[in-house]
Amino acid sequence: MGKYILADNQELTRFALESLLRQDEQNVVYRVSDKAGLLELLKKHENAFVLLDYTLFDFADEDQLLIVAERFALSEWILISDELTPKFLRRVVYASHQFSIVFKDSPLSEVREALQNVAHHQRFISQRALGAIISQQQEDDHPNILTETETEIVRAIAQGKTTKEIANERFSSVHTITTHRKNIFRKLGVNTAHEVVKYALRAGLVDSSEFYI
């Protein structure tokens, strides 16, 4: 037997989830339409399973959501939405083990698996959510910290062009291009042009097909 709180303001989804949950006659299902109602039910049922569409509910931000989850530490949550940003997913998943993730357009088998896992107090993160989190991690590890002009200069450096050649192509002075090079080296924490190109390739700032290293 489980106590479930459906915090989803999309009627069709709410009906479908309730139908799945009521296949076990021992389950008790509650519905809420806003955060205030959710808090009142959690006060009465601190160990409830919450099925939440975050995008359709009145949480101000993920911080507010995490505060509520921390307040009701015995509760477990399945976030089920049409779309959740990679940054949001990463923040929530890393901040608390109370949260499982599945999407509304996921196969029914995946939704069932999420419900079964959570019922047994096992976290479930869908493959789509995992992929988004990993992609976000890679972006954070290799941020594009160069300006558009600096990236263009990196491309020119990778093509083996000298500072004078780059200056002529860009109708700039040698001094200006030299200053850009110094800024690029400082931002990337490197000392040579070869290191600049290697970093840019790893970070996806430039296309490897264009360069000869």
Side-chain angles (χ1 to χ4, degrees):
M1 172 184 171
K3 295 179 180 178
Y4 293 84
I5 301 174
L6 293 182
D8 190 320
N9 287 322
Q10 194 171 66
E11 187 173 0
L12 183 59
T13 303
R14 194 169 59 232
F15 175 81
L17 290 172
E18 187 168 354
S19 297
L20 286 174
L21 293 170
R22 292 195 182 281
Q23 289 179 3
D24 183 340
E25 296 179 356
Q26 292 185 310
N27 287 339
V28 179
V29 182
Y30 304 94
R31 295 184 178 187
V32 292
S33 58
D34 56 28
K35 180 164 63 70
L38 175 58
L39 292 174
E40 286 302 312
L41 270 176
L42 283 171
K43 289 176 185 176
K44 299 175 183 176
H45 311 289
E46 293 187 356
N47 63 341
F49 301 104
V50 181
L51 278 63
L52 170 71
D53 186 336
Y54 173 81
T55 60
L56 297 181
F57 234 60
D58 56 338
F59 282 97
D61 52 32
E62 63 263 33
D63 287 329
Q64 196 174 78
L65 174 63
L66 289 168
I67 288 170
V68 172
E70 184 178 3
R71 178 180 173 186
F72 300 99
L74 297 178
S75 64
E76 297 182 56
W77 302 61
I78 298 179
L79 300 183
I80 177 165
S81 300
D82 288 319
E83 192 65 50
L84 293 168
T85 66
K87 286 187 177 181
F88 172 88
L89 290 170
R90 186 180 173 206
R91 173 79 192 285
V92 171
V93 167
Y94 285 4
S96 173
H97 284 277
Q98 291 172 259
F99 290 97
S100 294
I101 311 288
V102 72
F103 293 94
K104 289 187 175 179
D105 60 355
S106 298
L108 181 58
S109 59
E110 192 170 64
V111 177
R112 288 182 184 275
E113 186 178 357
L115 292 172
Q116 290 170 358
N117 277 32
V118 173
H120 290 90
H121 308 289
Q122 297 173 353
R123 192 181 200 184
F124 181 89
I125 307 295
S126 72
Q127 287 299 315
R128 175 178 161 191
L130 283 174
I133 292 167
I134 292 170
S135 295
Q136 183 63 45
Q137 178 69 54
Q138 291 173 339
E139 287 181 14
D140 289 348
D141 288 345
H142 302 291
N144 188 353
I145 58 177
L146 301 181
T147 66
E148 183 176 345
T149 296
E150 289 167 344
T151 301
E152 290 173 359
I153 291 173
V154 168
R155 182 176 289 109
I157 292 171
Q159 292 170 338
K161 295 176 182 176
T162 65
T163 299
K164 185 176 180 180
E165 289 173 332
I166 297 171
N168 289 337
E169 286 185 356
R170 299 187 63 82
F171 303 101
S172 299
S173 68
V174 170
H175 174 73
T176 297
I177 300 304
T178 300
T179 300
H180 279 307
R181 284 174 63 104
K182 288 179 180 178
N183 288 335
I184 291 167
F185 282 34
R186 175 181 53 80
K187 285 183 177 183
L188 300 184
V190 299
N191 299 295
T192 68
H194 185 71
E195 289 177 307
V196 167
V197 178
K198 285 174 64 178
Y199 181 98
L201 288 169
R202 288 198 305 270
L205 300 179
V206 292
D207 184 351
S208 60
S209 65
E210 299 179 44
F211 307 110
Y212 307 89
I213 300 176

